[in-house]
Short mmCIF file of all heavy atoms in Angstrom, two decimals:
data_model
loop_
_atom_site.label_atom_id
_atom_site.label_comp_id
_atom_site.label_asym_id
_atom_site.label_seq_id
_atom_site.Cartn_x
_atom_site.Cartn_y
_atom_site.Cartn_z
N LYS A 2 156.17 173.89 240.01
CA LYS A 2 157.28 174.19 239.11
C LYS A 2 158.58 174.27 239.91
O LYS A 2 158.57 174.67 241.08
CB LYS A 2 157.05 175.53 238.42
CG LYS A 2 155.80 175.57 237.56
CD LYS A 2 156.04 174.83 236.28
CE LYS A 2 154.85 174.95 235.35
NZ LYS A 2 154.92 173.98 234.25
N ILE A 6 167.91 179.36 239.48
CA ILE A 6 168.58 180.57 238.99
C ILE A 6 170.06 180.38 239.27
O ILE A 6 170.48 180.16 240.40
CB ILE A 6 167.96 181.87 239.56
CG1 ILE A 6 168.64 183.06 238.93
CG2 ILE A 6 167.99 181.96 241.06
CD1 ILE A 6 167.66 184.05 238.37
N LYS A 28 158.37 179.55 246.20
CA LYS A 28 159.16 179.57 247.43
C LYS A 28 160.62 179.81 247.04
O LYS A 28 161.21 179.00 246.32
CB LYS A 28 159.00 178.23 248.16
CG LYS A 28 159.94 178.04 249.34
CD LYS A 28 159.55 178.89 250.52
CE LYS A 28 160.54 178.70 251.67
NZ LYS A 28 160.33 179.68 252.73
N THR A 32 170.16 179.00 249.67
CA THR A 32 170.92 178.25 250.68
C THR A 32 171.88 179.19 251.41
O THR A 32 172.09 179.05 252.61
CB THR A 32 171.68 177.07 250.02
OG1 THR A 32 172.22 177.49 248.77
CG2 THR A 32 170.75 175.90 249.80
N ILE A 91 177.83 169.00 241.03
CA ILE A 91 177.10 168.01 240.20
C ILE A 91 176.32 167.07 241.13
O ILE A 91 175.17 166.75 240.86
CB ILE A 91 178.10 167.24 239.30
CG1 ILE A 91 178.63 168.20 238.23
CG2 ILE A 91 177.44 166.02 238.66
CD1 ILE A 91 179.67 167.63 237.31
N ILE A 104 159.15 162.69 244.06
CA ILE A 104 157.92 163.32 244.53
C ILE A 104 157.08 163.86 243.36
O ILE A 104 156.13 164.62 243.55
CB ILE A 104 158.19 164.41 245.60
CG1 ILE A 104 159.13 165.51 245.09
CG2 ILE A 104 158.74 163.81 246.87
CD1 ILE A 104 159.31 166.68 246.06
N VAL A 115 174.91 185.31 233.06
CA VAL A 115 176.32 185.29 232.64
C VAL A 115 176.88 186.71 232.79
O VAL A 115 176.37 187.65 232.17
CB VAL A 115 176.42 184.82 231.18
CG1 VAL A 115 177.88 184.77 230.73
CG2 VAL A 115 175.74 183.46 230.99
N LEU A 157 178.51 172.14 235.91
CA LEU A 157 177.08 171.80 235.78
C LEU A 157 176.49 172.26 234.45
O LEU A 157 175.53 171.67 233.95
CB LEU A 157 176.29 172.47 236.91
CG LEU A 157 176.17 171.70 238.23
CD1 LEU A 157 175.72 172.61 239.34
CD2 LEU A 157 175.18 170.56 238.05
N ASP A 188 157.12 182.48 231.13
CA ASP A 188 155.78 182.53 230.54
C ASP A 188 155.70 181.62 229.31
O ASP A 188 154.65 181.02 229.05
CB ASP A 188 155.40 183.97 230.17
CG ASP A 188 155.23 184.85 231.42
OD1 ASP A 188 155.06 184.29 232.52
OD2 ASP A 188 155.29 186.10 231.29
#
Side-chain angles (χ1 to χ4, degrees):
K2 298 284 185 194
I6 184 129
K28 171 72 181 170
T32 40
I91 290 176
I104 58 174
V115 181
L157 272 165
D188 293 341

